[in-house]
Amino acid sequence: QLALVFGSREDLKNREPLEEIRRLYPSAHLFGCTTAGEICSTEVTDDSIVVTAVRFDHTCVVSAAIHVDEVEGSYQAGQRLAGALDAAGLRHVFVLSDGLRINGSDLVRGLSSALPPGVTVTGGLSADGARFEETLVLRDGVPSGGAIAVLGLYGDRLRVGFGSLGGWDPFGPERLITRSKGNVLYEMDGRSALELYKTYLGEHAAGLPATGLFFPLSLRSASGETGVVRTILSVDEREHSMTFAGDVPQGSYARLMKANADRLIDGAVGAARTSFEPLASSPDLAILISCVGRKLVLKQRIEEEVEGVRDVLGWRTALTGFYSYGELSPFGPQTRCELHNQTMTITTFSEV
């Protein structure tokens, strides 16, 4: 019923591979996106296409898509997509979104507001390597920019697990966000956030926004609740602002983070363990969505985080996935879906 297709922008713009996939799986939903690296089993590749063919015994699959220019914003897009799925029997929604033109936080809130209680949501934002130029989403046709697509999975015999963990270390003082709007950050502690950020980055500042992947922000709410991690999508030198993949709420606190390779790998293992918990046995399928920032930091050690997931889930589980500009998942069971950056997010599937 389903062929998951993850690949580089250049490869997915080539019609021949997609036509061949359609010939192989004529009745399947073709569902995927562009990436910053592809995951197939424990191998991580670049400039390739990874296809995973899925057949469920007791689960029905329905897809829907929307373009950003069809709605007022990301929240409305989420609501419209949720409304396109029949609520009866809906178990889980898997979403892939444009990685540059969408506010992932608003998208998740819109989806969650219109879905029936108990329906879980996971997914990710498409990527374009470390170039941040154009991302594409595929749903049964030609990959297109500015698109958001969802898979609705139906059936009471489907079991879904998920987990999302990072592994970054905080450094420097915590600062109050004194001016922001949605996912655009202007000031921290009454000073230009961009200038403060550049001060910490030093020689790395010249490479923004790509070098910002090495130094994400950890957010904490004013009430003390530990929040999520955010990375930069773009920089506006004239406005002295930074645009992030998700909200950076005014009144919350932000602190820079830096990488520790061993802890990043431990985070992937922890996400795998959390995704395993709701299932009675090893999952049949696991979709791994990890942030491009982790890939840039881990470099030649990148496959260690995927191998760590394999060690937890076991060899009978098919592993597929990609490196993204953002990950959508609850932290674990009984928590709401949120946009994450710099995490390894895993969604596991099995049928009973």
Side-chain angles (χ1 to χ4, degrees), residues 147-334:
I148 313 166
V150 293
L151 280 180
L153 301 174
Y154 293 80
D156 58 9
R157 298 182 68 172
L158 179 68
R159 298 292 180 266
V160 182
F162 39 79
S164 182
L165 281 175
W168 297 73
D169 292 328
F171 76 100
E174 191 174 63
R175 297 185 181 275
L176 176 67
I177 295 178
T178 48
R179 185 180 168 222
S180 67
K181 183 178 181 181
N183 61 334
V184 182
L185 176 61
Y186 295 94
E187 293 181 1
M188 294 190 291
D189 289 343
R191 299 169 58 187
S192 165
L194 179 57
E195 295 308 314
L196 278 170
Y197 200 83
K198 286 182 175 180
T199 299
Y200 281 104
L201 263 62
E203 62 183 16
H204 297 288
L208 285 171
T211 51
L213 294 167
F214 294 93
F215 302 97
L217 287 182
S218 173
L219 300 182
R220 179 179 67 84
S221 68
S223 64
E225 180 183 356
T226 300
V228 291
V229 176
R230 292 284 179 261
T231 49
I232 297 175
L233 289 180
S234 63
V235 169
D236 189 326
E237 296 285 354
R238 187 176 62 181
E239 294 287 333
H240 297 284
S241 67
M242 299 181 287
T243 299
F244 291 80
D247 283 353
V248 281
Q250 190 167 304
S252 59
Y253 293 86
R255 193 176 182 189
L256 264 74
M257 305 184 79
K258 59 184 178 180
N260 176 311
D262 289 332
R263 288 200 59 211
L264 292 182
I265 294 166
D266 289 343
V269 171
R273 288 177 178 146
T274 303
S275 74
F276 198 135
E277 288 174 3
L279 309 180
S281 61
S282 293
D284 298 305
L285 172 68
I287 304 176
L288 282 56
I289 303 179
S290 186
C291 187
V292 58
R294 300 169 66 89
K295 185 166 178 279
L296 294 175
V297 169
L298 289 172
K299 296 180 181 177
Q300 69 270 20
R301 297 186 63 185
I302 189 60
E303 291 183 348
E304 289 185 37
E305 73 167 0
V306 184
E307 290 165 354
V309 173
R310 167 66 76 203
D311 290 342
V312 174
L313 299 183
W315 283 98
R316 71 177 297 269
T317 303
L319 302 185
T320 188
F322 67 98
Y323 284 82
S324 72
Y325 286 171
E327 306 82 56
L328 307 177
S329 174
F331 278 109
Q334 313 305 319

Side-chain angles (χ1 to χ4, degrees), residues 8-26:
S8 68
R9 173 160 54 107
E10 291 77 9
D11 285 313
L12 286 194
K13 280 189 169 182
N14 183 350
R15 295 186 64 89
E16 290 185 11
L18 293 179
E19 290 171 356
E20 176 63 17
I21 296 166
R22 172 56 71 202
R23 284 193 294 269
L24 288 168
Y25 309 110

Side-chain angles (χ1 to χ4, degrees), residues 80-194:
R80 286 268 297 273
L81 283 166
L85 298 173
D86 187 349
L90 183 60
R91 175 80 177 169
H92 183 77
V93 175
F94 184 74
V95 56
L96 295 175
S97 169
D98 185 286
L100 296 173
R101 298 166 59 185
I102 299 296
N103 182 325
S105 299
D106 283 348
L107 173 62
V108 168
R109 280 195 289 267
L111 279 166
S112 300
S113 72
L115 288 172
V119 175
T120 50
V121 178
T122 60
L125 307 185
S126 55
D128 180 29
R131 292 168 295 195
F132 293 86
E133 294 173 354
E134 180 187 26
T135 69
L136 307 173
V137 171
L138 170 68
R139 183 245 179 180
D140 291 344
V142 177
S144 58
I148 313 166
V150 293
L151 280 180
L153 301 174
Y154 293 80
D156 58 9
R157 298 182 68 172
L158 179 68
R159 298 292 180 266
V160 182
F162 39 79
S164 182
L165 281 175
W168 297 73
D169 292 328
F171 76 100
E174 191 174 63
R175 297 185 181 275
L176 176 67
I177 295 178
T178 48
R179 185 180 168 222
S180 67
K181 183 178 181 181
N183 61 334
V184 182
L185 176 61
Y186 295 94
E187 293 181 1
M188 294 190 291
D189 289 343
R191 299 169 58 187
S192 165
L194 179 57

